[in-house]
Amino acid sequence: MTSTGRLAPRLPSPLEEIRDDRFDRRGLRLLLKRDDLIHPELIGNKWRKLAPNLAAAGGRPLVTFGGAWSNHLRATAAAGRLLGLPTTGVVRGHELADRPLNPSLSRCAADGMRLHFVDRSAYRRKDEPETLAALLRAAGAEDAYVVPEGGSNTAAVRGCRDLGAELRGHADVVAVACGTGGTLAGLAAGLAPGQRALGVPVLRGGFLEGEVTALQERAFGARTGAWSLDDRFHFGGYARTGPELDAFAEDFGQRHRLPVERLYVAKLLWGLVALAEEGAFARGTAIAAVVTGRPFPAAP
């Protein structure tokens, strides 16, 4: 059995149709692709991205990157604990080194991840070979297998293609919240002709189309599948929410008995409700929303 096999994922993840009057009255069907149920600790797209990288690592230590509230850092730390692999997290923000760890980073540390804090300028340049080499030296992780921020690399994008394949024949539109774009890149490649993928970025800046295209070109040789982005629903950027979004997420959760994660999933669902109200989907359209995570207990 492979190391990733020992993690016992639930695949394919469940697909549930729910009734919501905001979609029903417009003749739309809403389905939830419950990737949050794949694994209790390696949740959703984190499993799909990490599993191929863990296989490629071949038992070597792991080093990866993220911000102070990174879901990806927590998932990597959990994978290291479960598989007995040393992990190092390079964390954006050197000023955090002298502060108490927040609950997210505390979870990483409890799972055995060694945390190395770097200044934001160097972090922004981490994809430059010389900067990356210097960061790895400073972190004592020169021999580690490098998993990029968000887990989005060629192996991860190919792993996320399975998400699209699992949804073939089940929905006309498949929507997913996007951080680094790797899940959307693979999802779109796995869908059948006639289906399309919709990405809802949770970061502002309008840069993601080029990132997703580049990920697909590296993984598949060309831009692949029918996909688009709607960047109106980021609520000010990553880790930004606000009372209106919190109230929406709470209401949605109560309606459908679904714990709604705020930083990604709530923005996705908000965007789909808004698009339905705008008439963006033709009557009879089946929309699948990918639930990529669950709320972290102490997240902001």
Side-chain angles (χ1 to χ4, degrees):
M1 181 180 292
T2 65
S3 60
T4 52
R6 291 199 300 272
L7 298 178
R10 181 183 182 185
L11 291 172
S13 60
L15 183 64
E16 305 170 352
E17 183 165 1
I18 61 173
R19 301 302 301 270
D20 189 301
D21 64 286
R22 295 166 290 191
F23 295 85
D24 291 346
R25 63 174 175 261
R26 291 171 174 81
L28 306 173
R29 294 173 56 214
L30 179 63
L31 303 99
L32 301 179
K33 179 61 168 167
R34 297 294 303 275
D35 267 20
D36 59 314
L37 300 178
I38 287 178
H39 189 277
E41 295 182 86
L42 277 66
I43 295 168
N45 60 344
K46 303 309 176 191
W47 164 266
R48 295 186 189 275
K49 290 180 174 183
L50 274 174
N53 276 289
L54 291 168
R60 293 162 58 193
L62 306 174
V63 61
T64 194
F65 306 83
W69 290 98
S70 169
N71 295 325
H72 170 68
L73 284 182
R74 291 201 308 275
T76 304
R81 172 175 54 80
L82 292 167
L83 297 174
L85 298 176
T87 58
T88 299
V90 178
V91 184
R92 181 179 63 246
H94 189 267
E95 71 279 4
L96 300 174
D98 298 323
R99 300 178 186 174
L101 297 180
N102 68 27
S104 185
L105 293 177
S106 292
R107 177 70 62 83
C108 293
D111 280 340
M113 176 173 275
R114 191 161 49 86
L115 300 174
H116 178 73
F117 299 90
V118 302
D119 70 77
R120 295 170 186 271
S121 175
Y123 190 92
R124 285 193 295 270
R125 303 193 311 274
K126 64 185 179 303
D127 294 330
E128 300 172 5
E130 290 185 4
T131 302
L132 175 60
L135 290 174
L136 295 179
R137 282 195 302 272
E142 292 174 277
D143 297 326
Y145 178 86
V146 177
V147 182
E149 183 177 26
S152 291
N153 57 9
T154 296
V157 169
R158 290 172 179 164
C160 288
R161 182 169 46 186
D162 291 344
L163 172 59
E166 290 174 20
L167 285 160
R168 288 188 168 206
H170 294 290
D172 304 297
V173 177
V174 181
V176 65
C178 302
T180 52
T183 302
L184 175 64
L187 162 66
L191 292 174
Q195 292 179 295
R196 65 183 177 95
L198 170 65
V200 174
V202 302
L203 289 80
R204 62 182 178 180
F207 61 88
L208 205 55
E209 181 163 0
E211 296 290 323
V212 175
T213 299
L215 286 166
Q216 288 195 327
E217 288 173 346
R218 290 195 292 270
F220 310 119
R223 180 166 172 149
T224 304
W227 59 270
S228 61
L229 295 160
D230 193 321
D231 61 4
R232 295 178 293 160
F233 309 115
H234 53 68
F235 280 78
Y238 185 70
R240 302 285 182 87
T241 55
E244 196 173 12
L245 184 65
D246 287 338
F248 168 84
E250 188 68 25
D251 174 70
F252 195 99
Q254 291 178 357
R255 289 180 186 227
H256 304 298
R257 298 180 181 179
L258 173 75
V260 179
E261 187 271 335
R262 299 297 199 265
L263 306 187
Y264 288 87
V265 179
K267 294 178 182 182
L268 167 67
L269 296 171
W270 175 288
L272 290 178
V273 169
L275 287 166
E277 291 175 350
E278 292 172 5
F281 306 112
R283 294 186 71 86
T285 299
I287 306 160
V290 183
V291 181
T292 49
R294 293 194 298 271
F296 184 65

